[in-house]
Amino acid sequence: MQSAATLTLTRPDDWHLHLRDGALLAQVVPASARTFARAIVMPNLETPVTTTEAALAYRERILAATPKGVSFEPLMTLYLTDNTTPDEIRRAKDSQHIHGVKFYPAGATTHSASGVTDLKLCWRVLETMQAIGMPLLVHGEVTDPAVDLFDREAVFIDEQLIPLRAAFPRLRVVFEHITTEAAVDYVRDCGGRDQMLAATITAHHLLYNRNALFEGGLRPHYYCRPVLKRERHRRALLRAATSGSARFFLGTDSAPHTRHAKESACGCAGCYTALHALELYAEAFDSVGALAALEGFASFFGPDFYGLPRNRDRITLARSQWTVPEELEFGPDTLVPLRAGETMAWKLVS
Ligand code: DOR
Ligand code: ZN
């Protein structure tokens, strides 16, 4: 039952999450585990997670950092490099714990230096992925410095995504954290009854446009990659997320960096939203009167795409104001969540 004051839905999952490693895990895993039953865990650690063995060891460290009595399942991914082998992909599939392979164009974002320099070098690996049903998770931005930063996603669609999908029509692809109307249109209209392509959308791209980066001064905690875009794009994302189309689902891209690394002459990309992710999405959906569409986006379409069961338990949000902490503990430094010190309209209550 839903009323204006509360919203109860099937427990959601986060289909795109950065957890980092080591002692930092204990400071961020509980936040995700509080809301989400499962999360697709990104492999861009300082030493990228390129092997099944490394992914399984990382999974154990995440489980060790999960609070006792809380059920949270990390769904692991491999980091694609120019040297990934088809055998490694088969091992990953056989492990049962690896659910995708992440394609970072080399240099596109945080810890992407070992990413792919030319997708042609991965052709045999992509054939294997297509054959065994291993999804490719795509950071969709070209890295050519001659291309304007704000255009890199749209150019990626034309130069890389369309040729890739033409070459591998049965490859399952997740276009991660889409930020533009071009990406929305492409994913929505990509045709075919089989759902081979889907996209994740972050809460921050639903709530903010690029003005947030410059509101009264430079705002590093609103800087992420792909960078926030114009209002026209935010509105297109919001229409897609609330449309009821199973091609669009929740992926926070929560990406913790220390305060020091963000508030710097060359600050890191990433917004930390694990703390209040579902509450942020609820606010975005509520802003267009579409709360009824949140459950499909947050709890159904992701597991359906990945071929996993939907969760069975439920969680409840209440319309209740609270203030986001100014900062959180994070190793020897601190972590500034998105919207630090500001008000939230929704609160997770059970
Ligand atoms: O803003 C981002 N931060 N985008 C990414 O693609 C990576 C992430 C991170 O790992 O910090
Ligand atoms: Zn990410």
Side-chain angles (χ1 to χ4, degrees):
M1 277 298 289
Q2 283 169 25
S3 71
T6 66
L7 176 67
T8 296
L9 60 156
T10 301
R11 183 175 293 280
D13 305 297
D14 185 349
W15 299 96
H16 185 125
L17 176 65
H18 299 268
L19 288 173
R20 314 307 183 203
D21 203 1
L24 300 178
L25 283 175
Q27 289 167 335
V28 295
V29 173
S32 290
R34 175 176 153 265
T35 300
F36 300 105
R38 299 169 286 198
I40 285 276
V41 180
M42 288 296 128
N44 63 331
L45 301 182
E46 259 168 66
T47 304
V49 179
T50 56
T51 64
T52 303
E53 194 186 357
L56 296 181
Y58 183 32
R59 178 174 178 273
E60 292 302 322
R61 297 195 294 280
I62 296 166
L63 290 174
T66 305
K68 296 253 171 321
V70 174
S71 160
F72 178 66
E73 192 183 351
L75 307 171
M76 308 311 293
T77 59
L78 286 192
Y79 185 117
L80 186 64
T81 74
D82 292 350
N83 304 314
T84 305
T85 63
D87 276 351
E88 196 59 63
I89 301 297
R90 283 189 211 96
R91 265 195 294 280
K93 179 80 177 173
D94 290 346
S95 79
Q96 315 258 351
H97 291 304
I98 298 176
H99 297 266
V101 175
K102 181 69 191 267
F103 162 37
Y104 288 107
T109 188
T110 307
H111 298 151
S112 64
S114 310
V116 174
T117 60
D118 180 353
L119 211 45
K120 285 265 177 321
L121 298 169
C122 301
W123 234 233
R124 284 177 48 242
V125 162
L126 294 168
E127 273 165 13
T128 304
M129 289 173 60
Q130 173 171 256
I132 66 177
M134 175 67 85
L136 182 72
L137 317 183
V138 174
H139 182 109
E141 287 189 291
V142 293
T143 54
D144 181 351
V147 177
D148 189 278
L149 184 79
F150 292 92
D151 296 334
R152 288 183 188 180
E153 183 173 280
V155 173
F156 180 89
I157 296 170
D158 292 336
E159 290 188 356
Q160 301 220 28
L161 193 54
I162 291 175
L164 169 74
R165 296 194 59 247
F168 300 99
R170 306 291 308 162
L171 178 66
R172 301 176 70 70
V173 174
V174 183
F175 193 174
E176 300 285 359
H177 43 53
I178 59 168
T179 62
T180 57
E181 193 171 28
V184 165
D185 290 351
Y186 179 68
V187 173
R188 189 194 53 219
D189 301 337
C190 63
R193 229 176 307 139
D194 303 341
Q195 204 195 333
M196 303 311 287
L197 176 67
T200 55
I201 306 180
T202 78
H204 43 287
H205 288 99
L206 291 176
L207 286 167
Y208 296 102
N209 64 35
R210 65 190 193 178
N211 286 349
L213 284 160
F214 308 106
E215 194 77 56
L218 194 55
R219 301 276 190 160
H221 299 290
Y222 289 82
Y223 172 58
C224 63
R225 296 298 295 273
V227 71
L228 295 170
K229 303 294 194 298
R230 286 176 182 277
E231 178 64 3
R232 171 167 66 89
H233 300 293
R234 186 188 76 84
R235 287 186 176 276
L237 295 171
L238 201 46
R239 275 196 302 278
T242 59
S243 67
S245 163
R247 292 175 194 258
F248 301 99
F249 49 81
L250 185 157
T252 64
D253 199 14
S254 175
H257 290 276
T258 61
R259 178 189 279 275
H260 178 76
K262 295 282 296 172
E263 297 175 7
S264 143
C266 186
C268 291
C271 299
Y272 182 64
T273 55
L275 180 75
H276 44 5
L278 193 62
E279 294 92 327
L280 290 167
Y281 280 109
E283 188 177 315
F285 277 58
D286 200 15
S287 72
V288 289
L291 281 174
L294 185 59
E295 187 174 40
F297 176 81
S299 313
F300 296 162
F301 306 150
D304 294 354
F305 181 86
Y306 277 92
L308 294 168
R310 296 178 179 180
N311 297 317
R312 307 185 66 138
D313 58 330
R314 297 169 75 74
I315 62 169
T316 298
L317 296 170
R319 215 183 269 281
S320 167
Q321 290 202 351
W322 58 286
T323 304
V324 179
E326 293 285 355
E327 58 181 17
L328 305 161
E329 270 182 56
F330 197 51
D333 200 330
T334 59
L335 172 58
V336 179
L338 193 82
R339 206 186 266 184
E342 294 176 46
T343 305
M344 295 287 297
W346 288 88
K347 188 172 187 179
L348 186 69
V349 288
S350 67

